[in-house]
Amino acid sequence: MQQFAVIFDFNGTMLFDTPLQYQAWNMLAEKTMGRSIGIDQFLRTANGRSSTETVDIFWGNSLTSDEKKTLILDKRQAYKDLCLSHPELFHLADGIPQILDFLKKHGIPFTIATSSNPASVDFYYENLQLNRWFRREDIVCTDGSFRGKPAPDIYCAAAKRLHMHPKDCIVIEDAVAGAYAARGAGIGYVIVIDPEDSGLIWVGEQVDCVIQEHGQLYTMLCDKVNQKTGLS
């Protein structure tokens, strides 16, 4: 069997926290700008991007660096408070533990490549028991050393972290920006999960497959391991 690796985006992929992310950003917009951010606009323009880019999208680029930093810190705190007060939402997506156990059992390299900052990854690592599958130092996150999605840098870094060629990696994403990043990095196969079947993502130049739930991904990976599929 040809060796392959799996790289997971995190927010919206392993953790279905988009409603919490949106609520935190929207609360901040209402507080500082006196208006709401439309959910459709958020999903189309900001989903999958870094906090700095999201501030630029909705607040413009006229803020000072200190003003931008304050907004981002306020948003992060609001988001963490929402996570801890909504345990029914703040947990790994159904099927993810089973998939990670399967990959670990079969010796398939895997990691996370997330637009989240290091402090947020520490928060997830502590509260979602990610140490069961990941070493903290192996998780690739937005630390300011490379460009954010849709630039390919993060997936290039993740493939390198796994000692794999990008073409031998499978990326699991939920956002258009992430799909572009993966394809730009030369990732061999890009899967996007769209649990709401929103129609915002479709198979095309950047995306090889769209799934609605992680049970489909588990089946695809089982078939890959057993060489029953053409999954690249």
Side-chain angles (χ1 to χ4, degrees), residues 19-192:
L20 298 175
Q21 293 280 356
Y22 169 70
Q23 186 175 346
W25 281 117
N26 195 49
M27 287 167 55
L28 189 62
E30 290 178 340
K31 176 182 176 182
T32 62
M33 296 190 293
R35 62 178 176 83
S36 297
I37 296 171
I39 182 63
D40 288 343
Q41 183 185 15
F42 177 80
L43 292 175
R44 292 179 183 278
T45 62
N47 193 29
R49 295 182 182 269
S50 69
S51 294
T52 299
E53 291 172 314
T54 301
V55 168
D56 288 340
I57 289 169
F58 293 115
W59 279 262
N61 54 14
S62 61
L63 299 177
T64 66
S65 59
D66 286 343
E67 289 172 334
K68 185 180 294 188
K69 185 181 296 185
T70 297
L71 282 175
I72 291 171
L73 290 175
D74 287 350
K75 179 269 171 181
R76 288 174 182 168
Q77 188 59 54
Y79 167 76
K80 289 179 181 179
D81 291 343
L82 287 168
C83 286
L84 295 177
S85 61
H86 290 281
E88 75 281 6
L89 295 176
F90 186 54
H91 58 80
L92 292 179
D94 291 345
I96 282 292
Q98 180 186 27
I99 289 169
L100 297 178
D101 286 341
F102 174 82
L103 295 174
K104 186 175 181 179
K105 175 182 177 181
H106 289 276
I108 298 167
F110 60 96
T111 194
I112 293 169
T114 173
S115 294
S116 292
N117 64 91
S120 293
V121 172
D122 290 342
F123 174 73
Y124 300 136
Y125 199 79
E126 177 182 349
N127 288 281
L128 296 174
Q129 291 76 55
L130 295 180
N131 63 311
R132 176 175 164 187
W133 304 282
F134 302 93
R135 295 191 309 167
R136 172 63 184 85
E137 59 267 28
D138 290 337
I139 297 175
V140 181
C141 60
T142 301
D143 59 4
S145 65
F146 50 77
R147 298 171 298 170
K149 304 172 186 178
D153 304 36
I154 193 168
Y155 284 120
C156 292
K160 185 176 181 180
R161 189 74 52 91
L162 294 173
H163 307 289
M164 298 290 291
H165 194 285
K167 69 178 177 61
D168 296 321
C169 295
I170 299 167
V171 158
I172 319 300
E173 261 286 352
D174 76 305
V176 173
Y180 271 88
R183 189 61 81 212
I187 295 297
Y189 201 80
V190 181
I191 299 172
V192 171

